Amino acid sequence: MPRSKPLLAWEPLPYIVLFVAALALSTARPDSLPVVFWSVAPVAALALVYFILSLARERRLRESNPNGNGELSSLAGLEIRQIEGQAGAPVTTVAESGRHQPEIDLIRIHEGDRAVLVPRATRWLGRRYRVGVELVAGDRVRRAGFLPEAAEKRFASPLDELRARGVYVSVPARITGTTRPFGVDLELAGLAQLDEGELSSR
């Protein structure tokens, strides 16, 4: 899995490009610096076209599943490989769950006990690719955080290979705590099959 989202796919970039182009155009007036103005004007026009095309692309990504940040809107149309729990298996605590307390609370209320792992997920406006953790309760799917770094290093590549084929992996999940802040523990022992190639070869 790549380390980060390509710069041209980074959501804030079109706004930055348009701002810089507008600023450059505003400082070069045709009556005082005509050569500079007519050099900058075509670049500003191209920046505007790039901005419009980027907005259209961003809209398509928002409507896709998963979206541009790797968040799932539902499990409909996705192939999910479900890994069952193992008695006495160790658990891994989800990173950055503190940022997603309302979402976790909603899934807790509806007694969700599974999580889908989504490679190439990012924080809002972030570029670094992570493995997102999407809690599931019935038809509700909500972001709970990301795999911690150690688990991500081990499982990101095989999970990303499955993602390229439209396949996502579901693992047992348990929400901890009775009041906020809630935590989320995942049982990842079954993902050892990914290292051995068993899941990816099915």
Side-chain angles (χ1 to χ4, degrees), residues 12 14 26 34 40 49 69 80-81 116 137 142 165 184:
S26 67
V40 172
V49 172
N69 292 326
I80 305 296
R81 300 279 176 87
V116 175
R142 297 292 188 276
R165 293 159 43 192
V184 179

Side-chain angles (χ1 to χ4, degrees), residues 40 136 147:
V40 172
V136 180
L147 285 188

Side-chain angles (χ1 to χ4, degrees), residues 21-191:
L23 184 63
L25 191 62
S26 67
T27 58
R29 299 186 178 280
D31 53 347
S32 58
L33 296 169
V35 175
V36 175
F37 176 83
W38 292 112
S39 298
V40 172
V43 176
L46 288 175
L48 179 60
V49 172
Y50 168 68
F51 178 77
I52 294 172
L53 293 176
S54 296
L55 288 184
R57 177 182 178 276
E58 185 177 339
R59 180 178 179 180
R60 289 195 302 271
L61 287 175
R62 282 200 304 267
E63 295 173 351
S64 63
N65 187 38
N67 65 17
N69 292 326
E71 294 178 300
L72 298 177
S73 57
S74 74
L75 300 185
L78 301 179
E79 182 179 347
I80 305 296
R81 300 279 176 87
Q82 185 162 301
I83 294 180
E84 300 301 333
Q86 301 176 11
V91 296
T92 299
T93 300
V94 172
E96 299 190 22
S97 59
R99 297 174 178 269
H100 303 277
Q101 291 297 299
E103 294 88 345
I104 295 172
D105 197 11
L106 175 66
I107 298 299
R108 181 188 66 86
I109 292 170
H110 293 280
E111 301 181 343
D113 61 357
R114 304 289 303 182
V116 175
L117 305 179
V118 183
R120 303 201 186 198
T122 63
R123 289 171 58 179
W124 184 63
L125 300 184
R127 286 190 61 204
R128 178 190 166 194
Y129 277 142
R130 315 277 295 276
V131 176
V133 177
E134 302 281 322
L135 289 176
V136 180
D139 59 353
R140 299 172 179 84
V141 186
R142 297 292 188 276
R143 169 72 58 83
F146 302 92
L147 285 188
E149 187 173 353
E152 180 181 301
K153 286 182 178 179
R154 182 176 180 185
F155 299 119
S157 292
L159 286 170
D160 194 45
E161 290 177 10
L162 289 174
R163 179 207 60 83
R165 293 159 43 192
V167 179
Y168 296 87
V169 174
S170 168
V171 298
R174 181 169 62 90
I175 297 174
T176 60
T178 56
T179 59
R180 297 187 187 186
F182 300 108
V184 179
D185 289 341
L186 305 178
E187 190 178 315
L188 302 180
L191 290 182

